[in-house]
Amino acid sequence: MDNIYEYTKIRDNIWQIEEDNSVCCTLVKGSEMAVLIDTGYGVRNLREFVEKNITTPYIVINSHGHPDHIGGNHWFDTVYSLKQEWDVIKYFEENKTKVYEEREIQIGQHISLGDLNIEIVSLVGHTCGSIGVLIREEGILVAGDALNEGLWLFNYGSLSMGKLYKSIKATMELEFSTYLCGHSTKEYKKEKLISHIKNIENLKIDNCTKQNTIGFETYCSKYEDDNGKSEIIFTIDKVD
Ligand SMILES: [Zn+2]
């Protein structure tokens, strides 16, 4: 199978690696160590691609347990994630035999990559154990699906709207200026998160569009202002 991945250089040392125009993994290349955040669907040999493009040791982290972010875990020996997410990972791996070692990473954990330092931060909502990777020197937050412009709040392991709201408010307090998402190669300004906050504050179920999203009966709440666009797609049980 063709092993070529599309990738976008966000910085010389930060790449969004895109799989089939659909999902992104992020590669952060420090002077002494690299980090790969997420593994996509895993249909191609992501390990070979990563190892071709770095010269240092590296670790692999899952931002959360959805199948389009953990699907390539099997290419690697060890993958780190938050313990609260292990149940979600297990659910979406559909009890396949685990061929890699799952290791725990913790909120607040700092990891030195040499010239770059990263910190693991909580981004719960999208799932109960969603995490982000804050790249201090670059002021960038790698957010997985936790802050997507179209934010999904349904399916196994997702939290309530109230918890998502608190989580995004707390994220606003973190020190970063831009963020990356799991389904885009764009770098977004932190202020864009205000549109998610306003969306939730103004949310009325009667104004939402009813739709079907991957087999779930969902509602979509849309909001847009100068900060940007927000769409939150949720099942009715998430409203509180
Ligand atoms: Zn997801």
Side-chain angles (χ1 to χ4, degrees), residues 64 66 68-69 126 145:
H64 66 296
H66 283 161
D68 50 337
H69 296 259
H126 180 64
D145 283 352

Side-chain angles (χ1 to χ4, degrees), residues 134-148:
L134 200 54
I135 309 163
R136 288 246 170 248
E137 290 76 6
E138 300 290 346
I140 295 181
L141 174 64
V142 182
D145 283 352
L147 306 173
N148 285 353

Side-chain angles (χ1 to χ4, degrees), residues 16-59:
Q16 283 291 78
I17 303 166
E18 203 172 2
E19 192 178 40
D20 299 335
N21 295 317
S22 141
V23 64
C24 290
C25 318
T26 308
L27 182 62
V28 183
K29 305 197 281 180
S31 57
E32 286 166 29
M33 193 158 90
V35 174
L36 176 71
I37 301 140
D38 289 337
T39 61
Y41 285 106
V43 290
R44 300 193 194 102
N45 192 336
L46 181 60
R47 180 178 188 155
E48 195 177 287
F49 177 84
V50 167
E51 292 181 2
K52 251 185 214 168
N53 286 288
I54 58 171
T55 53
T56 63
Y58 65 99
I59 60 166

